[in-house]
Amino acid sequence: MAGYQNHSVGDVRARVGAAFAEIAIVQTVAVDAQQAVADLETSVTAQFGDVNATISEQATAIATVEGYAAAAWSLTLNVNGYISGIQLVNGGSGTSAFTVVADKFQIQLPGYNGGAPTPVFTVGTIAGVASIGITANMYLDGTVTARMMNIGVLSAITANVGTLTAGIIQSSDGKVVFNLTAGTLIISE
């Protein structure tokens, strides 16, 4: 069986001096005896001299005679070479991903906060390693449990701990030391 490919391009553009704007749509379908592929690309561009902004969207689906199928979708925003966007990829069971490229991740609960989004995550670096900062007030009442914490040092003003298992209990000034393991209590001035 011979293959078939159809390719369609739609383009609207305008230029006046240093100002340029364009909307482009590219549609491609290709089939042969081994696979079927459909791809849709759209882009919206505005430029004035060296200043430019582009929004690009791409959707691709593929299916093969061997039983493989995959789908991918992405939305990319490019302002003067600085990229942000999202991407969804699904290659079947166990091979899916949702990727967000952004400095901040914000959500808006309808009807609250005057319509302003609330930052949940902030992305930055710690010692040169890409890291995520979580906004401290984003935990709802009762959602953080000690069962999931592994803490080297914990500081609290008051505590109701129930059963406490410890080796040494010591005052902050070191004058009272209760060594539970050795069974000694030392009080010094």
Side-chain angles (χ1 to χ4, degrees):
M1 174 177 139
Y4 171 80
Q5 182 171 342
N6 189 0
H7 187 75
S8 169
V9 177
D11 196 19
V12 176
R13 63 176 68 180
R15 179 180 299 276
V16 174
F20 173 75
E22 177 182 45
I23 298 173
I25 301 170
V26 178
Q27 302 172 63
T28 304
V29 292
V31 295
D32 62 23
Q34 301 299 312
Q35 67 181 2
V37 179
D39 187 71
L40 173 63
E41 299 176 43
T42 61
S43 67
V44 177
T45 301
Q47 181 175 351
F48 202 97
D50 292 336
V51 177
N52 61 74
T54 300
I55 301 170
S56 301
E57 181 179 17
Q58 182 168 4
T60 303
I62 184 172
T64 70
V65 70
E66 290 90 16
Y68 173 76
W73 175 82
S74 66
L75 181 67
T76 304
L77 288 75
N78 180 341
V79 175
N80 296 321
Y82 188 77
I83 306 289
S84 65
I86 58 176
Q87 180 184 44
L88 292 168
V89 176
N90 185 344
S93 179
T95 57
S96 65
F98 175 51
T99 304
V100 177
V101 178
D103 297 322
K104 298 175 187 172
F105 182 77
Q106 303 178 94
I107 58 171
Q108 171 54 43
L109 182 61
Y112 289 87
N113 201 27
T118 301
V120 178
F121 303 110
T122 299
V123 180
T125 60
I126 297 175
V129 176
S131 301
I132 297 174
I134 300 173
T135 303
N137 65 347
M138 293 306 297
Y139 296 102
L140 301 175
D141 292 339
T143 60
V144 177
T145 62
R147 178 177 64 85
M148 298 305 293
M149 291 189 231
N150 183 359
I151 300 171
V153 175
L154 178 62
S155 176
I157 296 170
T158 61
N160 180 354
V161 295
T163 301
L164 176 65
T165 303
I168 296 175
I169 300 174
Q170 177 176 305
S171 65
S172 60
D173 62 3
K175 292 182 179 180
V176 177
V177 178
F178 191 6
N179 187 328
L180 299 170
T181 305
T184 61
L185 174 61
I186 300 171
I187 302 173
S188 59
E189 291 189 41

